[in-house]
Amino acid sequence: MNDAGIARARAEMEIPVSNDWAEVGRARKHESAELHVRGQATYTDDIAELAGTLHAALGLSARAHARITAIDLDPVRAARGVVAVLLASDIPGLNDCGPIIHDDPILADGLVQYVGQPVFIVVADSHDNARRAARLARVEYEELPAILTPQAARAAASYVLPPMHLARGDAAEAFTRAAHVVKGELSVGGQEQFYLEGQIAYAIPGEDRGMHVYCSTQHPSEMQHVVAHALGLHSHHVTVECRRMGGGFGGKESQSALWASAAAIAAVRTGRPVKLRADRDDDMLVTGKRHCFHYLYEVGYDVEGRILAARVDMVTRAGFSADLSGPVATRAVCHFDNAYYLSDVEIRAACGKTNTQSNTAFRGFGGPQGAIAIEYVLDEIARNLGRDPLDIRRLNFYGTQERNVTPYGQTIVDNVIGKLVDELEASSDYRARRAAIADYNRGSPVLKKGLALTPLKFGIAFNVSHLNQAGALVHVYVDGSILVNHGGTEMGQGINTKVMQVVAHELGVELARVRATATNTSKVSNTSATAASTGADLNGKAAQDAARTIRERLASFAAQQYGGAANEVRFAAGTVFVAGLALPFEELVAKAYLARVQLWSDGFYATPGLSWDAKTMTGHPFSYFAYGAAVSEVVVDTLTGEFKLLRVDALYDAGRSLNPAIDIGQVEGAFIQGMGWLTTEELWWNAAGKLMTHAPSTYKIPGVSDCPEDFRVRLFDNANVEDSIHRSKAVGEPPLLLPFSVFFAIRDAISAVGEHKINPPLNAPATCEAILDAVSFVEQAVARA
């Protein structure tokens, strides 16, 4: 029997594969899950060290703003195990690691601008010896005035970039038509990324001035550029590799550059491999965090609660250099509207230059800071009018056919917020619980319950259009196994799993056949950061493009061999169906190889239809919007300021989810992380400008006991209207806005002290102290009345 006869007989014996076979849209475990739980997943610090490896540590500034008048490094050089001590003058190339503006030195050179700024590198025979030696330097300073808060930066007109201004309509005229005006101020704190794996880089010198840097980074290409510039080399001399990170959350987008470049500089100067691993205290002292914001707002509204005019002036604590503060502020401006139509609005944003760590990306990238301000205002309007906040929010929602253009000019074509909130309101029993909580509070003078439902609308894409591109490589081997490499980085969020599913689906094979390899700048070049919730969108599309090219080659070959049209060849469940025949995938691959069919391909994707004018702050910056909403119920102890999150109902729009298990996990994680930002995670600098909350002992991230016992997370059934990867939607950042509901539930509970007639002045994070201050304000206001 010939090959065709064998294949036909096989097809007749086997049960036909269903037409709805798919590898995407299915709940699959994380590709490294078993390695994680067994402790076998290799992170940068787990890579076997080469013989002769040295270890580096950074010597840090002890002043917030000062000139170095003298520095004695002899005690450092004389310390046990020290091989070299390097200053800015020892850097072969450019002393800069700024991602956009060149204002961020790798090592301070005469001027220090925050407590914790690196001044020198110690290289020693062990990690411990390097760290001990770094503390032996004797440095003399001439202190200079320091600016520490965004309010002080605004007062001094101290900015790292020119302030931004977006205006639509005529806010001044609209205010004259407003029946009511609410005005005030709000402060929202920053947040430490607190990734489990700290900043680390391992630099290995190679032949012909080559340098291979293993680095825990979200942006290997940026690290490649920075290292090359620091060493005075071309990019092709430098390879940066990252198999996985133990968390990133934005803190390893640009700020891993300092560690990568310092390790590489030390490796070049010593001629030996050098590892630089920050301890948690140093990591938190050196690196930037989520930007804290201070807002001055004024909003006019009608008797029903509909917003007619809005003005907001936002200023961030950018830190001493620009880093990514410009794009963060831009996204904050573009998310001030959240899910609400604002007809006449003026939005100003400034990046305050302060003598603190240079703040950077953090999950949400300014979006949460922009959106929480309008939510705070709507909460105040509802209380002023004696209405349920949900009714006021719903009244101001974007429309679908009208009232559907953002302040920056993008028409919203995918608005589902009304339907989504309707579904959540019903499934969470919001109205009945609201009534039950009112009854509870009337009989409970000390413990007060609160409830809030808050929505989100979050734009997906980099605001800088050219960053919305990605590449991938797919290799099919003669045994039918498949290897994929792409420009995204794995930080636990499951991008590799999703990309593997996309490739498996495109080639019609089981997921087990596909393997993803480490992100490496020598494989896919000029990659964008894995950020802005675009990782799976961009890299999934690029990998799909590569896999589709291979599939089409195989389909053409199959049609030539067995008859029929190439476009009728079907790949599913590890089988190729052609002209009534069924062949195992690996069998067709082996035959194609013998026929010299190319079995590997590159793929590329660039998000279409994006535009942004930074001068006018208008355009179409986002490919689409993700939506969601959450209901949170809390109980607050008005004597201690403690609160307990009792129940959460969250509904998130992931489009046609690529992997529901991973997406639900991302929503849950984002919720708890965002709750930490708004409740317990307080960053505090002393009067001298030193960050005092620089360790787990002083910085409180949520623990298991802070999670609600009743935590209900569901995905909203909604295909993306845009041609995203399998009509899915991003899930990395948007869910971080869901815990707004926790903050406003706490505020609701506090306002119950005054029977909801007084707006509690609650800032974030809503720590026990902040809650007690707000309770005291309400109690005093009641007493005065």
Side-chain angles (χ1 to χ4, degrees):
M1 186 180 294
N2 59 24
D3 288 345
I6 294 171
R8 184 173 290 106
R10 185 185 294 121
E12 291 171 352
M13 289 188 297
E14 295 180 352
I15 299 173
V17 176
S18 170
N19 287 330
D20 61 2
W21 179 90
E23 272 296 346
V24 296
R26 303 180 65 180
R28 296 295 199 188
K29 66 182 179 183
H30 191 287
E31 48 92 21
S32 295
E34 293 184 13
L35 298 178
H36 290 157
V37 298
R38 290 174 180 167
Q40 296 173 342
T42 300
Y43 295 88
T44 301
D45 200 34
D46 298 320
I47 296 170
E49 295 175 6
L50 298 178
T53 292
L54 298 172
H55 297 264
L58 301 176
L60 308 179
S61 164
R63 299 292 185 273
H65 193 200
R67 292 188 183 90
I68 296 175
T69 57
I71 182 167
D72 181 5
L73 295 174
D74 287 342
V76 182
R77 295 187 180 97
R80 182 174 60 185
V82 171
V83 174
V85 181
L86 307 172
L87 292 162
S89 57
D90 296 305
I91 297 175
L94 185 65
N95 182 21
D96 178 75
C97 57
I100 301 175
I101 296 176
H102 301 304
D103 62 347
D104 198 341
I106 299 167
L107 297 176
D109 190 5
L111 176 70
V112 294
Q113 299 187 72
Y114 72 96
V115 176
Q117 183 171 10
V119 178
F120 59 91
I121 306 169
V122 181
V123 189
D125 59 357
S126 73
H127 173 74
D128 189 57
N129 283 341
R131 287 195 67 229
R132 291 178 182 276
R135 283 147 176 77
L136 299 178
R138 292 193 283 260
V139 184
E140 296 179 12
Y141 300 93
E142 176 192 342
E143 295 207 44
L144 301 170
I147 295 173
L148 300 178
T149 68
Q151 296 94 316
R154 179 194 278 133
S158 172
Y159 304 121
V160 295
L161 295 165
M164 304 172 187
H165 180 215
L166 185 156
R168 176 169 68 174
D170 187 342
E173 187 279 329
F175 270 108
T176 67
R177 294 185 279 109
H180 306 284
V181 174
V182 60
K183 61 190 304 183
E185 61 181 299
L186 170 67
S187 291
V188 175
Q191 185 180 24
E192 165 64 32
Q193 290 86 357
F194 217 95
Y195 23 67
L196 288 177
E197 176 203 32
Q199 298 280 2
I200 183 169
Y202 184 29
I204 302 172
E207 65 179 20
D208 193 22
R209 298 182 294 166
M211 180 67 65
H212 195 117
V213 181
Y214 295 94
C215 184
S216 183
T217 180
Q218 295 172 236
H219 201 346
S221 287
E222 176 70 17
M223 301 310 103
Q224 180 190 34
H225 300 158
V226 172
V227 169
H229 293 156
L231 300 184
L233 301 174
H234 294 295
S235 290
H236 69 208
H237 289 102
V238 179
T239 298
V240 175
E241 182 172 336
C242 178
R243 171 58 183 93
R244 61 173 60 85
M245 289 166 275
F249 308 116
K252 296 175 181 176
E253 181 175 345
S254 64
Q255 300 230 337
S256 47
L258 167 65
W259 313 89
S261 54
I265 290 164
V268 162
R269 287 306 187 194
T270 62
R272 292 163 65 178
V274 173
K275 179 186 286 187
L276 173 56
R277 172 170 57 84
D279 115 301
R280 180 66 64 180
D281 294 83
D282 288 351
D283 193 319
M284 292 183 72
L285 281 171
V286 173
T287 62
K289 294 110 186 36
R290 183 189 298 281
H291 293 69
C292 71
F293 272 60
H294 182 263
Y295 314 80
L296 299 173
Y297 61 85
E298 182 178 13
V299 175
Y301 56 99
D302 65 17
V303 294
E304 297 296 321
R306 181 179 283 107
I307 292 176
L308 302 180
R311 290 194 187 103
V312 64
D313 185 349
M314 304 183 265
V315 62
T316 77
R317 179 192 272 123
F320 81 97
S321 69
D323 196 81
L324 297 172
S325 293
V328 166
T330 299
R331 186 167 281 264
V333 168
C334 291
H335 283 76
F336 174 67
D337 61 331
N338 195 18
Y340 312 107
Y341 178 72
L342 305 175
S343 59
D344 297 85
V345 61
E346 290 184 10
I347 308 171
R348 298 180 186 274
C351 303
K353 181 171 182 175
T354 56
N355 295 110
T356 54
Q357 293 83 353
S358 187
N359 283 329
T360 189
F362 196 132
R363 196 176 196 170
F365 202 80
Q369 295 99 309
I372 196 170
I374 195 67
E375 293 295 342
Y376 195 87
V377 168
L378 287 164
D379 196 57
E380 298 223 321
I381 291 173
R383 206 164 283 113
N384 290 344
L385 295 177
R387 301 276 302 279
D388 189 308
L390 175 56
D391 296 332
I392 300 301
R393 289 185 166 100
R394 194 190 299 277
L395 181 67
N396 285 281
F397 279 165
Y398 274 105
T400 55
Q401 301 301 320
E402 56 183 9
R403 291 170 52 89
N404 63 341
V405 179
T406 67
Y408 45 90
Q410 180 166 343
T411 300
I412 300 173
V413 298
D414 59 356
N415 184 6
V416 296
I417 194 62
K419 293 179 181 178
L420 187 149
V421 168
D422 286 346
E423 182 176 324
L424 181 63
E425 180 185 355
S427 65
S428 66
D429 296 319
Y430 175 85
R431 300 292 176 179
R433 290 166 64 195
R434 171 67 75 190
I437 285 172
D439 289 341
Y440 175 91
N441 286 338
R442 277 190 289 269
S444 179
V446 174
L447 298 180
K448 297 292 184 182
K449 287 187 176 182
L451 187 73
L453 189 159
T454 57
L456 73 87
K457 173 185 67 67
F458 195 93
I460 304 300
F462 289 99
N463 274 73
V464 180
S465 298
H466 75 265
L467 296 178
N468 294 283
Q469 59 174 297
L473 292 172
V474 174
H475 298 255
V476 177
Y477 295 98
V478 292
D479 64 352
S481 63
I482 300 160
L483 195 70
V484 57
N485 185 273
H486 58 90
T489 51
E490 176 64 56
M491 61 194 92
Q493 85 280 35
I495 186 175
N496 282 346
T497 308
K498 288 185 173 182
V499 170
M500 289 162 58
Q501 285 181 273
V502 167
V503 171
H505 182 85
E506 200 66 29
L507 291 172
V509 299
E510 302 84 355
L511 183 60
R513 286 184 184 263
V514 184
R515 179 184 174 94
T517 57
T519 310
N520 186 305
T521 56
S522 68
K523 294 183 179 179
V524 178
S525 63
N526 308 319
T527 59
S528 295
T530 304
S533 300
T534 63
D537 280 8
L538 295 176
N539 295 283
K541 276 284 195 180
Q544 182 187 50
D545 181 47
R548 181 169 293 166
T549 299
I550 298 171
R551 191 195 71 202
E552 290 172 350
R553 290 175 187 154
L554 289 172
S556 294
F557 171 72
Q560 292 170 6
Q561 291 293 108
Y562 301 105
N567 61 5
E568 294 176 350
V569 178
R570 182 167 168 253
F571 295 74
T575 306
V576 182
F577 300 91
V578 52
L581 309 177
L583 292 83
F585 177 79
E586 64 271 21
E587 183 176 315
L588 180 66
V589 166
K591 292 180 181 299
Y593 167 74
L594 295 176
R596 295 184 293 181
V597 174
Q598 184 177 333
L599 295 174
W600 62 268
S601 179
D602 63 326
F604 181 77
Y605 178 72
T607 308
L610 302 177
S611 65
W612 179 249
D613 187 329
K615 293 182 179 178
T616 63
M617 298 201 77
T618 57
H620 192 285
F622 304 120
S623 174
Y624 60 87
F625 296 95
Y627 299 88
V631 179
S632 290
E633 181 179 343
V634 304
V635 61
V636 170
D637 186 329
T638 60
L639 297 181
T640 66
E642 295 174 288
F643 83 95
K644 179 70 176 175
L645 180 57
L646 302 175
R647 174 177 164 182
V648 171
D649 296 75
L651 183 59
Y652 181 71
D653 168 28
R656 291 281 183 254
S657 172
L658 290 174
N659 187 319
I662 283 178
D663 286 349
I664 287 175
Q666 285 292 294
V667 174
E668 292 171 341
F671 190 98
I672 298 302
Q673 187 173 56
M675 181 184 74
W677 165 50
L678 295 172
T679 60
T680 64
E681 297 186 41
E682 184 175 26
L683 295 166
W684 184 75
W685 287 261
N686 67 15
K690 181 178 180 180
L691 178 68
M692 303 304 291
T693 50
H694 54 76
S697 58
T698 53
Y699 185 78
K700 175 67 170 68
I701 66 171
V704 172
S705 61
D706 298 304
C707 299
E709 290 184 10
D710 193 349
F711 198 1
R712 311 179 189 192
V713 176
R714 293 186 298 114
L715 300 181
F716 184 62
D717 185 14
N718 177 48
N720 196 343
V721 299
E722 296 298 327
D723 183 26
S724 59
I725 184 68
H726 291 286
R727 301 287 175 171
S728 64
K729 287 191 177 185
V731 75
E733 294 175 301
L736 195 127
L737 281 67
L738 293 172
F740 285 4
S741 57
V742 177
F743 179 82
F744 290 107
I746 292 171
R747 198 175 188 219
D748 183 58
I750 297 169
S751 76
V753 174
E755 297 181 353
H756 302 294
K757 296 177 181 178
I758 297 163
N759 279 308
L762 184 64
N763 292 314
T767 60
C768 295
E769 295 86 350
I771 290 172
L772 280 178
D773 286 345
V775 169
S776 177
F777 177 92
V778 173
E779 289 175 337
Q780 291 174 25
V782 170
R784 287 194 299 269

